[in-house]
Each structure stands twice: as C-alpha cells, then as structure tokens.
Amino acid sequence: MEYVIGILLLVSFFGLVVYAVRGGNLMLGIFVMGIIWTVLPMVGNMLVTNPDFIAANKEAISITWTEALQKVFQSGPEGWGSVLVNVVFGAWFGRVLMKTGIASTLIRTTTELGGDKPAITCILLCIVTTACFSSIFGAGAVVAIGVIVLPIFMSLGIPKVLATCAFMLSVGAGMFVNPVLYGQYSAFFLGEDGKTLYPYEQHVSWGIYALLIQVAVVIIMVAVLSREKKVHSWAATAPASAKKRRGDNAPGIALIAPIIPVLLLIVFKVPIILGFIIGSFYALFTCGKIKNWSQTCRMVNKDFFDGVVDTAPLVGFLLMLPMFNKAAELCVPYFNALLGGIIPNNTLVISIVFAVLAPLGMFRGPFTLFGCGAATLGILKGIGFSTAYLAPLIIIPSTVMNVSCCITQSWIIWGVNYTKVSTKEYLKLSTVVGWIICIILQIMVYVMFG
Amino acid sequence: MKYVISEMMEELIKLDAMEWGGYAFYHEPLERKFTEEQKKVYIRKANACGEQEAEELLKEYPDTGIKALAEDMGFTVKMPKTPAGGGHVIFAQYVEPKEITVFTDCVEKAEKLIKKEHLTSLLEGIDLTEVLLAHELFHGIEYRKRKEIFTQTEKIQLWKRPFSNRSRILCLSEMAAMAFAKKMTGIHCSPYILDVLLMYAYNEEAAEALYEEILEAAGIREREEEC
Ligand SMILES: [Zn+2]
C-alpha cells in the first residue's frame, strides 16, 4: 500500500513540474498540490498494513485528520506570517532608497567612474547592484533599478542578452545574504517548537562566499563576452517615472544606506526589521527629507503603502507555499518507503547529484524551494542529513537557478520583456552560467559542511 | 490620453538642434560632469561633425539612396521584422564592424500610424527607413574613422590624478548621427522626433511620457514638482 501512495505522490509531483514548465499559475497549482499531498498520505495512513512500515513511522502516521488539516492549512500560512512582515519592511526600505534618489545617484556615480569602457562600467554596476540587493528585496526594486542600469549597459554597446543576464545574476548574488530571502528559506527548517533550526549566522557563514563567487563569475562572464562586437542601437526607452531625474543628487554620505541593514545584522546582530528602519531613516535624514513631523508622517505613510503594494503579487504565492511545504512533511514516510532505498545516505553522492543536475532548480522543479523542492527537501530530511548541510545544498539551486536565472522568476520575466531578448537566448546564457556557479558552490558547501 | 499625436509632432518639429541637444544630454550617463556652457559647445560641435560627414558623402555620392550608398561603402544592410512592444523599443542597430539593421516592424507600424492620424503633410518627405539607415550608417563611419573623428576622439578625464580614465562622451555620437541623418535625407526636422513617433506606434502612454521628457530636457517646459 505504501508503495502505491508513494507512486501516486510522485506522479502528482511530476504533474506539478509539467504544469509549472507549461507556465501554469503557480499559486493555485501549489494550493492544489497541498490538497493532494494532504489527502493521499492521510488516506494511506488509514490503509497501510505492512507492520515494518507502521513500526518505522509510528508517530508520523498516527496523526489525525484534524491535526493534519490544522498543520497544513492553518499553521502553515501562519508560520509564514513572520516572513511576510520582513518582506514588507524590506519593500519599504527599497522604496525609500528609490525615492531619496540614493539608488540612482549610486548608479550614476558608478557610471562616472567607468565611463565608456563597457567591461569596467558593467562590472562596477554589477557590484553595486549586488550590494543593493543584499538588503533590498522585491520585484518593484528590481524594476526600479533595472530601468536605470539596463539602458546604461545597452548604451555602452553591451549585447542585450549579456546585459540582462549580468544584471539578473547580480541581483541574485546579493540574494545570498539578503535577510528577506533568508527569512523565506528559514521557514523550511523549523524545529518542533516552531523556531528555525537554521539561524542567519549559519546562513551568512557560507552565503557571503556564495555571493562573492557568483559576483566573480558574473565579472568573468562580462569580461569575456563584452569583448565581442559592440552593438549600437537606436531605441527609445519609456521614461522610468516622471520623477526619475530629480533625485540624482543624494549626498555621498547617504550612498552607504543600501547595505546598512545587512551590515548591522551581520556585524552587530541588529534584528533585520530594526535594521530596515534604521537604514530608511538614515537615508531620509542624510538626504534632507525629514523637515517636520507632519511631512515626515505623510512621507513614511506613502512609502510604506507603496512598499506593501510592491509585495502584493508575492503575498498570495507566499501564503499558499507553506501549505504545500507542510503537506510534503506528511508525505515523508511514503517517499522514504519508495525512495529511501534508492537515495544514498552519502553527502558526497548527494552533492554531486545536486551539482550535476542543478538546472532541475529551474521552472519550479525539484531543486528549488520555490517549487517542488519543498518535497525534495522533505524526502532528504527524512533520510537524516544535518540542517547545516541540507540547507545550503538546496538553497544554492534555489537562489542561483531559480531566483537568478529562471524566467519563472517575476522580475526576470520583466527584464526579458524590457530588453526584448528572446527567452531562448536568455536561458541559453543564464543556464550555463548558473550551472557553473552551482557546481562551484556545491563543491564549496561539501568541503564546508559535507 | 493627454495629447494627440499630431499635436506632439507639431511641437517637436519646432525644436532646434540646441533643444534636442538638451534631450541628448539628458540621457548621457556622464551628464553631471558638464556645465551648461560646455554642453552648448559640445552640442554645436557634434552637430557640425555630423553635418560635415554628410556633406562629404553627398559630394561623393550625389542622388544615391542611403541603402545603396551604405552597401557601396561595404556595409551589410539587414531588414528583419523583430520588435514587439514594451518599455524599450529598438528601431535600428549597428554592429561593429559593418552590419546595419533596420527593424521594419516599427517602420510599418509608424507608416500605418501616419496614414491613420493624417500626419502625412506634417511629416512631408520623411522616409523612415532612410532616416534610420542614415543614423546607423554614421556609427559605421564613426567606427571606420575612430582615430580622427570628433565624436570618438573627444574625451573627458573621469579620474583624479594620478589615476586616469579618459572616456568618450556617448551622446556626442548620437547628436552627430542625427545631424548626419537629417542632412543625408534632407528632412526638415530632427530625426529625434522618431523617438516619439515610433514609440507611439507601440505604446501611446510611453510616447507621451517621452514627449514630456523631451520638452523638459529641451528646457521648454518645467517639470511639475511632486510632493
Ligand atoms: Zn545612434
């Protein structure tokens, strides 16, 4: 019986993969999967007869329907609530950086350092982009910075595909230490008491190297590929926003604002929400935006509102995802029964598989936590690897292949549409580069935690 | 919708090279490095450079279509359909060393627009393809003459001594290319108006925003301050 359930679970899993690859709405797809993965193991729990299986999973399969439903549909999204709060504060911070003109000033100043040398300017801008996205999170911010950076890349004669790819990979590199993205990951590693087993310090201990490696690979990519024939195009760009220009003169001292929250967190262990608040007010203060109480109130109100709107598209998905994650936990005994014998209990083999098959992290596949990876993680957890090893193992393809490379990522869809590169051309470059990054990072993680 | 396209075109046709120069500098990444006075000098010199190149070429090839001319000079001219809307519409491109591409999709769309909106008399004698080709041809000539032509040799020092990083000023090339295209095709207004016309064929709102940006960059209209 447990095999039948296990096979049905796998079939539905591949159903989701096909659905995701075909571009189906993921929010509802994930929700339906949450239901299927709750019902199947629960029905299985009632029907299993194999005494060995029952003995091995006594606790897991004695869960009642009420408990299961509570776990999946109530505690799941509730647990994610704390992540959501971080996302909102992060989006507000992003808004402030745009509004004060700090982001655009930073980009302009950087461009003035590099001038017309495509490689130098592009590399410097990639580094600045990474720095910005080590704190900021959200499609709104990526778009706001992208509409400044991408036209500069293209006016320097950098081919569109390379420009888009370099920008998106730079955004993704910053995500390795981004506290908001970390928050989303940490929710996959909760202990019995609901506290995370995967603290931020642990994450940064390898994330900072991952960031540096991804930036280094981007730099090499730009240095090699920008030597190709220069492209000069006559194109019109819709003005980013009517108010773009006004803010290009933030004072030098304000320009460190983007990394304040993450710096405070890493160095002084200042909680991230407080970090965002300090960062935001530092930005507003140094840019002379704080004049009097009522004006400050209005401004903060407005920025917060805009920040929340920025995160809105993500919220629905973020609240459905945990149902699926929790449901995946119910399925662990069945996956173990089916795959436990096949999946080796050896970190070296697992690391090699994750390195070699890294592109499975694309199209919401089994190696990304923002897709079916939640189930993969459930299976691997069942086998009993340590969190310190398991977390980076699956976060690498999630951050590199999904967040930095895949066209199912909201802001990458935007970028590809904005620069008009064909998705095929884009994926050709991004997949290869992402794959290389994954291989390097998996080797690093194996050495550090394997 | 705030503007009618014919209204926008009428306004834009009136702008002179100096005002378009303001728009060119508006998109110049190094814009902050120049004073208003320096910009004016650069605008004048860049336009003169483009016109001079055109005059030389016209002497050599009187009464030749731009396409034939470009091909005769050894450039490959391609005309695929390509673009598909969005915030960044590409009209034409030049790839070093000798490939010129005009994306016909935007030309077709703009020609339909001209008919539909009765802009024919306003845009009398403007062959869009020729203008786009001429602009890109200038970049090709620039590349060939990169050792001596003004737009390529004029540089600005970006770093403080003892470090040195001398950069070209990208918008000079653009202004010169526009002046070149205007002279080569003999049209009566700046080819820069195509930015709005062609964008309008894809995205009316973006074209209107661009129009406002141009007026502001040209110093004709003050930006409304937002609180
Ligand atoms: Zn040009």
Side-chain angles (χ1 to χ4, degrees), chain A residues 109 111-117 229-230 232-239 242-243 245-246 248 418 420, chain B residues 26 32 85 87-89 91-94 96 136 139 158-159 165-168 174 178 195 210 213 223 225:
Chain A
T109 309
T111 315
E112 285 169 356
L113 274 179
D116 67 336
K117 320 278 180 303
K229 295 180 270 184
K230 264 196 236 160
H232 183 102
S233 57
W234 180 357
T237 308
K243 275 77 195 171
R245 253 322 171 77
R246 214 161 44 110
D248 272 1
Y418 182 78
K420 301 281 163 16
Chain B
Y26 198 86
R32 291 198 306 191
H88 185 88
V89 182
F91 307 150
Q93 70 178 27
Y94 162 71
E96 291 171 7
E136 298 306 329
H139 291 310
L158 295 178
W159 295 357
N165 179 12
R166 288 160 50 78
S167 169
R168 284 171 302 147
E174 291 316 310
M178 293 300 181
D195 275 16
L210 204 56
E213 186 183 274
R223 157 156 298 177
E225 278 282 312

Side-chain angles (χ1 to χ4, degrees), chain B:
Chain B
M1 258 196 339
K2 290 186 257 176
Y3 307 96
V4 187
I5 178 71
S6 57
E7 207 183 291
M8 293 198 281
M9 284 297 124
E10 245 171 85
E11 281 301 312
L12 293 178
I13 284 172
K14 285 188 226 153
L15 300 187
D16 63 21
M18 234 14 172
E19 287 159 333
W20 284 113
Y23 173 59
F25 266 105
Y26 198 86
H27 286 281
E28 168 59 52
L30 305 176
E31 184 263 343
R32 291 198 306 191
K33 298 266 174 192
F34 309 101
T35 64
E36 288 307 310
E37 273 319 301
Q38 285 172 315
K39 284 188 206 168
K40 277 187 190 139
V41 175
Y42 274 132
I43 294 170
R44 236 173 262 133
K45 282 189 180 169
N47 276 288
C49 167
E51 282 166 18
Q52 192 198 332
E53 288 300 324
E55 274 160 20
E56 281 174 24
L57 213 56
L58 284 172
K59 239 180 254 164
E60 207 178 320
Y61 295 91
D63 303 315
T64 317
I66 310 279
K67 183 160 184 281
L69 192 156
E71 279 166 347
D72 195 68
M73 290 177 71
F75 291 97
T76 333
V77 178
K78 291 185 184 170
M79 298 206 170
K81 216 168 146 49
T82 323
H88 185 88
V89 182
I90 180 165
F91 307 150
Q93 70 178 27
Y94 162 71
V95 181
E96 291 171 7
K98 55 174 197 175
E99 186 192 303
I100 295 174
T101 312
V102 168
F103 298 100
T104 52
D105 186 62
C106 53
V107 175
E108 280 162 29
K109 281 216 171 66
E111 275 165 0
K112 262 184 216 146
L113 180 74
I114 291 174
K115 277 215 190 81
K116 194 178 127 223
E117 300 284 342
H118 311 291
L119 302 172
T120 327
S121 61
L122 210 55
L123 304 175
E124 188 81 66
I126 300 184
D127 181 331
L128 300 175
T129 312
E130 292 271 284
V131 175
L132 293 172
L133 267 174
H135 175 109
E136 298 306 329
L137 176 61
F138 180 78
H139 291 310
I141 293 172
E142 241 186 329
Y143 179 72
R144 288 188 182 174
K145 295 190 171 177
R146 60 190 179 278
K147 294 264 156 50
E148 70 260 10
I149 197 166
F150 168 73
T151 53
Q152 295 292 305
T153 53
E154 181 64 24
K155 291 194 174 162
I156 172 176
Q157 177 61 264
L158 295 178
W159 295 357
K160 295 210 172 77
R161 275 150 61 85
F163 303 103
S164 169
N165 179 12
R166 288 160 50 78
S167 169
R168 284 171 302 147
I169 304 153
L170 296 170
C171 74
L172 297 184
S173 290
E174 291 316 310
M175 284 187 279
M178 293 300 181
F180 175 85
K182 183 178 175 189
K183 196 106 203 169
M184 288 302 288
T185 55
I187 60 175
H188 59 281
C189 59
S190 166
Y192 266 122
I193 63 159
L194 296 198
D195 275 16
V196 174
L197 182 71
L198 272 59
M199 178 60 105
Y200 193 88
Y202 288 89
N203 183 339
E204 299 183 6
E205 253 172 65
E208 285 173 0
L210 204 56
Y211 171 70
E212 288 185 333
E213 186 183 274
I214 291 170
L215 291 189
E216 189 205 315
I220 294 195
R221 188 180 292 182
E222 281 297 304
R223 157 156 298 177
E224 297 125 52
E225 278 282 312
E226 181 216 38
C227 181

Side-chain angles (χ1 to χ4, degrees), chain A residues 330-392:
Chain A
L330 297 177
C331 304
V332 168
Y334 297 92
F335 279 125
N336 264 338
L338 192 67
L339 303 170
I342 309 171
I343 297 177
N345 184 4
N346 177 322
T347 50
L348 179 61
V349 179
I350 296 284
S351 282
I352 290 174
V353 169
F354 267 74
V356 173
L357 301 179
L360 289 179
M362 305 182 85
F363 294 102
R364 308 286 161 172
F367 281 5
T368 168
L369 289 174
F370 304 109
C372 319
T376 315
L377 182 65
I379 300 169
L380 291 174
K381 270 185 190 165
I383 296 174
F385 295 107
S386 72
T387 303
Y389 168 70
L390 214 47

Side-chain angles (χ1 to χ4, degrees), chain A residues 9 14 51 94 107 112 138-139 186 190 201 210 233 245-246 283 291 326 346 349 359 422 441:
Chain A
L9 288 171
F14 286 112
I107 293 164
E112 285 169 356
S186 72
L190 300 182
E201 295 82 60
S233 57
R245 253 322 171 77
R246 214 161 44 110
K291 291 166 195 143
K326 290 289 169 191
N346 177 322
V349 179
S422 75
L441 293 184

Side-chain angles (χ1 to χ4, degrees), chain A residues 4 16 30 45 79 81 109 153 194 196 210 293 306 394 416 428 446:
Chain A
V4 178
L16 177 65
I30 292 281
N45 289 352
T109 309
F153 282 0
T196 186
W293 181 251
D306 291 341
I394 194 144
V416 166
K428 242 196 259 166
Y446 178 74

